[in-house]
Every structure is written in structure tokens, then in C-alpha cells.
Amino acid sequence: MMLPYLIIVPLFGAFALPIISLAGKKARELWAVLITAITLGVAAELFYTVWKGGEILVYTLGAKSPLGNGVPFPIRIVWEVDLLGAIFILMVAFVAFVAVLYSTEYMRHDTGLEKYYALVLLLEVGMLGIAMTGDLFNFYVFMEIMSIAGYALVAFRNDTWEGIEAGIKYMFVGSIASSFILLGIVLLYGQYGTLTMAYLAKMIAENPTFTAKVALGLLIGGLLFKSGAVPVHMWLADAHPAAPSSISAMLSGLVIKIGGTYALARMAFSVFSTGIDTRTIGWVIILFACATLIVGNAMAVIQTDMKRLFAFSSVGQIGYILLGTGIGLAAYGSDVGNIALAGAIYHTVNHAVIKALLFLVAGVVIHQLGTKNLNELSGIARKMPVTSFAFLVGAAAIIGLPPMNGFASKWLIYESSALFNPLVAVIAVIGTAFSLAAYIRVLFTFLGRPSERVMKAKEPGKAMLVPMLLLVAVIILMGLFPWFISDRIMIPAAKMLENAGTYISAVLGGA
Amino acid sequence: MNRRSEQSEMGLIVKTTARATIPLIGIFGTYIVSHGHLTPGGGFQGGATIAGAGILFLIAFGFGEMKRRYNHHLYSALEGLGGLVFLGAAMLGLGVAFFYNTLWHSGPFFNGQPGTLLSAGYLPIMNLAVGLKVFAGLVSAMVAVAAYRRWKE
């Protein structure tokens, strides 16, 4: 069983880092790359096992069985990984590895790097833990590990005013959102007396109370904040531009999805769907999703700061993921709902890879040219062809052009939303039109006549180019087999998520 | 303002009292950490208590004295070591499960009569590790705050 090694390896890496870094700069960079590479290996192995076996892996901390001695209910912390969790674990481990590899060159001019790598590894621990846990309070703890590492990393360049400002903003509002989630968990524990998600789902199904609805409201509120949905997206547009680019890639590609949309789907489907009317929850999420789609993509069009544009585009793409999840809930159990949910999962993975690539490109531009203002950047394509090619692939993929991976996932979401409610589909298409406008603008900037500032630019070193090309390769490879991936991986994952009964019985056994 | 306020040393009474109380606080904190499995308290509470002794030292004798006795690398490494020991104790029973208390069930030591000091399996080890980590972390944080640039520049 390799499930605990997903936590042990990066945690060991983070704890050992202060001791390793006594050996010098090279040692700690090598250590961080090595640790994330091993984690990626474990994650790939885990994904293969879950995908091949088609069953939910359950791991109990402290004993063989989650159930107490002579009682039919679970008393221990359980980790429960279904196909959805395995997909997210693989995605987290991959993007984290790429980001760490990238930061060996990108962060070279900064100080305090032993703290940087320790925080990155802790961020990874938090995200992996969220994806694998089957215990509500364990989920909260991992969520806080992820969030606090995120606050510190956003404010990592503390000699710049924007880093500090964004860090304070993110931390203040993020802590309030976390306490909403904690309050929801407290209410559920007070009402039902258990924190295991599977057992809680069974209890809610037997006795759906008003307290459970209040708790669900608090959880949705906190998790929508963490995912950057529209009324509470303001922290994201500051935090992502201010963070170092390797961190923006992880924040935008992973943190808002693991801590936001994944947790939301897990709560709604695995914990609450058996006891509470999914139609209502679905429509609430759809409303937020539509607002997020329009506002996020429309705000992206008017930005002049490259990373801020990508940040607002992330908000817009979160709208698609929420839309898929919402339709999956509102049309629970039907084919339309299933396809929408599969589209949401697929789009999460695609967007994680694409947005990581785009932020890494932005990082290269800042690193080589010292500005991220789009008005000063015309004509980069002449001087930095590889970087511009990577951007072209990323932009094409995020809009959803057919040879790239973004096409299939967006198609699934369009198709299911059109079948579900044509008005929602219209809103989704309007959002994409805005997104197209935003990226075409950047593309024309890249391809224009070289400005004076750009004339001296050149390509970055290998440690920054290789991660970008790795992501480009994944985008194109995933784009070549879209329907294979959707039929073999995403739709089974959506089916597994919808089937709360197997999620419950995996922990409780026959009981 | 003047040299005295820059070094922020306290008066003679405070210093003498600190000399007397810092060992007592340290011993009490160690007691809380090592009896975490028997009495209220444990790694975090005891570690924070010992860190209180460090902070009293910092305030009573001033930052200049603290700087001479504080080694950043040592404390950083100690904090990492605390985490590693915790993780190592959790991995002892990995043959059965992560966090399986193998010392308690079949271990060579720490498996005495419940209620005695050498019982409770890996719990005393984990308490010591957490205490070390909390102490090193809190003292480092306070020294870093005290060492921060002056009010104006």
C-alpha cells in the first residue's frame, strides 16, 4: 500500500530541508526536485492502481480496520481515494514537480530559499492530503496547511509592496473563509457526533436535519471563497500576480481547485447527496458559476498586467468547472448530469496544466525582461521563439481549439449545459468569447513589432525551458486522445463520484 | 533615542528575577512535555512554556545578549529534527499502518504499566518531538521579530 507515502515523502522532505540546506544551495535544490519527483512516482503508481482496479482505496491510520472494537462505526481517521481523488493526486504531484524544477532557476536571485522550498513541499502535502482524506477534520487540517503555506508564499517577496499587500488580503479573508468551514464542521459534529465523511453521509441520509443544511451553507460559502468564485474572487486577482510565478502556477493550477472545487464536489456528492435535495444545491452552484464565468472572463479582457489577466482568466475557468459540478448536481443521476460532471473533472485537469504553463511563461517574461506590463512587451516572438510558442499552445488550449486538450473538456460542458438549459449554455459561450478576446490581445502583443525593451531579450536557461516544454507536451498529448481520456478516465470518475453508496460502504463494509 | 533604549535592557531587579525564574520555567515546561501522556498538557503546551523562558530571556537581557547566544542554523535544524522524530515515530509501525503504535503493542520499551512514565508507546517520543519543534519555532519567530529592521529607515 503506497497511500501513506504520498504524505510521508513530501513531509519528510520539508522537515529535512533545514538540515539538508546546511550542506549548501545546490543540495537543497536537488533535494526539493528529488522529493517532488519521488512523490510524482508514488502518485502515478497510485493512480494506476485505482484506475486499473476500479475500486475505492481505503487506508486507516493506526490500525487495520477503521471500525472501533465491537462497534459498527468508524473511530479512526480514514483516507479514502476514489478515481476522482487519484486524478487530482496525480495532477498535484505533476504540477508541483514542474513548478519546483522551474524554480531552481527562476528563484535563484531571491534569498531565504530554504524556507521557500520547505513551504512549497508543505503546500504539496496539504493538497495531496485534501485529495486523499475521508475525514472531515483531517480535511480541515490539510486545508489549513495548504492555505497557510499559500499565504506565506504569496508574500514571499516581502521587499515588494504588492507581495505584502496581497499576502495580507489573502490571509485575512482566507482565515475568515477557513473559519466558516470549521464552523460548518463543528455544527455537523455537534449534530451527528462523527467526523468520518462516509459515516456522516449515512447519518445525514437517515436523519436530514436543519443543522445539516446550515452546515452545508457554511461549507459552500467557505469553499466558494477558496475556489475564487465571483462575489469573493478579489483576493485571487491580487494574490496570483504578486506571488513568484512558480507559485502562481501552483496557486492557479492547483490550490483553487483542490481546496475549492474538489472539496465542494466531495462535500456535495459524497457527504450530502444522500440526505439533501441535490437540485437546490446544484442551482445555487450554477448561479455562482454563471456570474463567475461572465465577470472573470470579462475582467480579463481589460487588464494590462499579464499575470493579472491570467488570474482573472483563472476565475473565468473556475466558472466552467463550477458549472459542470452544478449541472452534475442539479441533474443528479441522469446522463446529462454525468457528462457535465465528467466535463468538470476533465476541465479541472486541463486547466491545471494549461494555467501552470501560462504562468510559467509569464514568469519567463518577467525574469528576462523585468516587466509584466503588456503595453511594453510587443514583439517578444522575435527574440524568444520557444517561450512564445509555449504561450501560443497555452492560449489555444485555454480557449478550446480542437487539437489541444481544452477542446474536449469544454465541449462536454457546452453539450451538457445546452441539453440541461439553453440559457446556461449561452452564458458559457459568452464567457468563452470574452476569454478569446483577452488571449487574442496578448497574442497580438507577442507577435507585434519588437519594442526597444524587447530587443535585448533572450531565451531563459534549460531549467526554465524544460518544465514549459514538458507542459506543452502534456497539453498536446492529451489533445490527441480527448475521447479516449474522457471515456476511460473522466466518465468512470464522475460515475464513481455520483455513486455515494459505494463511497459509504467502502469504509463501513457491510455495516 | 539613546543607547539604553536601543538595547532595551531591563533594570537589575528584573534581570535578577529572570535569572531565578528562567530555569524554573524551563524545568516546568520539560515536566509538562515529558508527562504529556499522564497529565494535562503535552508537546505544544510544554514547548510553548519553555519558549516563554526564552522570550523572558530576550526581554530581560535585551536583544544584544540574545543575539550572542542564538544560532539561527542550530534552531532551524532543531525544528526540522523535531518534525523528523515525530514522523519517524509515526512510521515505526508502518508494517501494520501509518501511526500504528507498535511500541505499545509489542515494543521493547515504553510499554510499561499504564500510568507510569515509560508507558503509552510512541506518545512520549512524539510529545518530546513536538515540544522541541514548538520551542525552537517560537523562539526563532520571536528572535526574528526582535531582529527586524528598526522603526524608521
Side-chain angles (χ1 to χ4, degrees):
Chain A
M1 188 61 129
M2 57 275 147
L3 200 49
Y5 291 100
L6 270 183
I7 294 296
I8 290 172
V9 172
L11 207 55
F12 175 71
F15 285 154
L17 206 67
I19 298 167
I20 298 283
S21 64
L22 294 178
K25 283 183 179 179
K26 281 268 178 247
R28 70 178 170 227
E29 282 172 3
L30 203 67
W31 180 251
V33 171
L34 187 71
I35 289 291
T36 44
I38 295 174
T39 315
L40 178 60
V42 177
E45 167 79 17
L46 178 76
F47 173 75
Y48 186 73
T49 313
V50 176
W51 181 60
K52 216 49 182 173
E55 282 175 8
I56 297 177
L57 284 185
V58 177
Y59 190 88
T60 310
L61 267 69
K64 290 256 188 230
S65 156
L67 306 182
N69 255 345
V71 288
F73 52 82
I75 59 167
R76 302 193 166 89
I77 293 176
V78 289
W79 287 339
E80 198 170 2
V81 179
D82 60 359
L83 190 51
L84 176 72
I87 292 171
F88 277 65
I89 284 168
L90 185 61
M91 175 184 101
V92 167
F94 175 66
V95 176
F97 169 68
V98 167
V100 166
L101 195 61
Y102 180 85
S103 24
T104 54
E105 183 176 339
Y106 177 73
M107 297 297 288
R108 193 155 284 167
H109 314 294
D110 291 78
T111 53
L113 284 184
E114 79 270 18
K115 296 176 194 73
Y116 172 82
Y117 286 114
L119 283 168
V120 170
L121 289 174
L122 284 178
L123 189 69
E124 195 185 1
V125 169
M127 291 190 290
L128 292 172
I130 291 175
M132 71 163 70
T133 190
D135 183 279
L136 217 47
F137 194 75
N138 199 229
F139 158 73
Y140 176 75
V141 170
F142 279 126
M143 167 105 118
E144 282 293 89
I145 293 177
M146 179 192 84
S147 302
I148 290 171
Y151 307 151
L153 284 169
V154 164
F156 186 75
R157 287 183 170 153
N158 57 12
D159 50 343
T160 59
W161 65 269
E162 52 175 358
I164 296 292
E165 189 205 356
I168 287 179
K169 194 180 210 175
Y170 184 20
M171 185 178 73
F172 279 11
V173 277
S175 315
I176 294 173
S178 295
S179 44
F180 271 33
I181 296 169
L182 183 61
L183 189 58
I185 294 173
V186 165
L187 287 178
L188 282 175
Y189 185 61
Q191 177 72 40
Y192 295 105
T194 182
L195 286 168
T196 309
M197 287 186 198
Y199 190 54
L200 190 64
K202 193 172 165 237
M203 302 274 276
I204 292 174
E206 284 165 5
N207 176 24
T209 54
F210 184 66
T211 314
K213 287 181 188 161
V214 175
L216 178 64
L218 287 167
L219 284 172
I220 288 184
L223 293 173
L224 278 180
F225 172 90
K226 295 272 177 194
S227 53
V230 141
V232 282
H233 66 293
M234 68 294 169
W235 61 271
L236 195 151
D238 283 338
H240 291 205
S245 283
S246 43
I247 298 309
S248 321
M250 280 176 88
L251 283 180
S252 177
L254 306 174
V255 170
I256 55 175
K257 299 188 180 95
I258 291 284
T261 56
Y262 168 80
L264 198 61
R266 180 60 76 209
M267 293 298 154
F269 281 99
S270 299
V271 180
F272 284 96
S273 73
T274 47
I276 283 179
D277 181 23
T278 50
R279 212 175 161 71
T280 321
I281 315 174
W283 271 104
V284 168
I285 294 178
I286 290 173
L287 284 182
F288 281 110
C290 290
T292 310
L293 268 173
I294 297 292
V295 175
N297 285 319
M299 289 292 281
V301 179
I302 56 169
Q303 301 303 320
T304 51
D305 179 325
M306 190 173 179
K307 283 180 83 176
R308 214 174 161 78
L309 189 153
F310 292 160
F312 272 113
S313 161
S314 283
V315 175
Q317 302 299 320
I318 282 291
Y320 290 105
I321 297 167
L322 285 177
L323 185 64
T325 317
I327 294 174
L329 277 165
Y332 188 76
S334 67
D335 270 350
V336 172
N338 194 284
I339 291 173
L341 193 57
I345 299 167
Y346 199 0
H347 198 59
T348 307
V349 178
N350 286 341
H351 182 245
V353 180
I354 299 167
K355 200 40 78 66
L357 173 65
L358 288 175
F359 270 113
L360 295 191
V361 168
V364 168
V365 171
I366 293 169
H367 188 260
Q368 302 300 107
L369 290 161
T371 179
K372 49 186 176 164
N373 188 340
L374 284 171
N375 296 331
E376 300 172 19
L377 289 176
S378 71
I380 290 180
R382 295 269 176 82
K383 292 289 164 188
M384 298 161 79
V386 182
T387 311
S388 309
F389 169 70
F391 173 77
L392 184 67
V393 170
I398 205 159
I399 297 161
L401 287 185
M404 309 299 168
N405 62 355
F407 168 70
S409 58
K410 278 200 175 178
W411 180 259
L412 291 177
I413 293 174
Y414 291 145
E415 190 188 10
S416 55
S417 57
L419 288 171
F420 176 72
N421 187 331
L423 185 64
V424 175
V426 170
I427 292 176
V429 172
I430 293 176
T432 301
F434 279 130
S435 157
L436 180 71
Y439 281 98
I440 291 282
R441 238 185 87 225
V442 186
L443 197 62
F444 268 87
T445 312
F446 268 54
L447 297 175
R449 194 188 327 168
S451 66
E452 259 176 53
R453 183 161 200 156
V454 171
M455 288 309 284
K456 313 190 277 286
K458 56 178 193 295
E459 293 281 0
K462 277 203 194 78
M464 282 166 90
L465 281 181
V466 168
M468 290 199 300
L469 294 178
L470 214 57
L471 288 167
V472 167
V474 168
I475 289 176
I476 292 176
L477 266 181
M478 280 178 77
L480 291 180
F481 309 103
W483 307 119
F484 175 82
I485 293 174
S486 118
D487 291 345
R488 292 294 194 79
I489 301 173
M490 302 304 167
I491 288 181
K495 284 209 170 109
M496 243 164 142
L497 181 63
E498 277 184 335
N499 195 343
T502 50
Y503 189 83
I504 295 171
S505 61
V507 168
L508 298 178
Chain B
M1 281 182 279
N2 51 34
R3 200 171 53 85
R4 193 185 157 88
S5 76
E6 226 166 54
Q7 293 185 341
S8 65
E9 277 184 37
M10 295 278 176
L12 185 65
I13 300 176
V14 175
K15 277 193 192 169
T16 313
T17 320
R19 275 205 185 90
T21 46
I22 285 174
L24 293 180
I25 298 174
I27 291 168
F28 182 63
T30 319
Y31 162 75
I32 294 180
V33 171
S34 54
H35 287 68
H37 52 300
L38 304 173
T39 58
F44 184 83
Q45 290 85 343
T49 309
I50 306 174
I55 292 163
L56 176 60
F57 183 92
L58 172 65
I59 292 172
F61 295 98
F63 179 63
E65 188 67 25
M66 189 69 174
K67 206 158 65 176
R68 241 170 286 145
R69 290 162 196 259
Y70 170 84
N71 180 346
H72 170 68
H73 292 295
L74 174 69
Y75 274 71
S76 197
L78 278 182
E79 200 192 343
L81 187 71
L84 286 178
V85 171
F86 186 92
L87 195 63
M91 281 170 68
L92 281 178
L94 207 56
V96 179
F98 194 36
F99 277 99
Y100 176 72
N101 197 342
T102 185
L103 285 181
W104 170 245
H105 290 283
S106 55
F109 42 80
F110 286 123
N111 55 351
Q113 188 69 25
T116 57
L117 191 60
L118 295 181
S119 65
Y122 60 28
L123 281 189
I125 304 174
M126 284 185 168
N127 276 327
L128 287 173
V130 172
L132 179 66
K133 193 167 170 62
V134 169
F135 161 70
L138 279 179
V139 168
S140 304
M142 291 316 284
V143 171
V145 170
Y148 196 66
R149 278 169 289 166
R150 300 297 98 186
W151 292 110
K152 279 182 186 172
E153 260 185 311

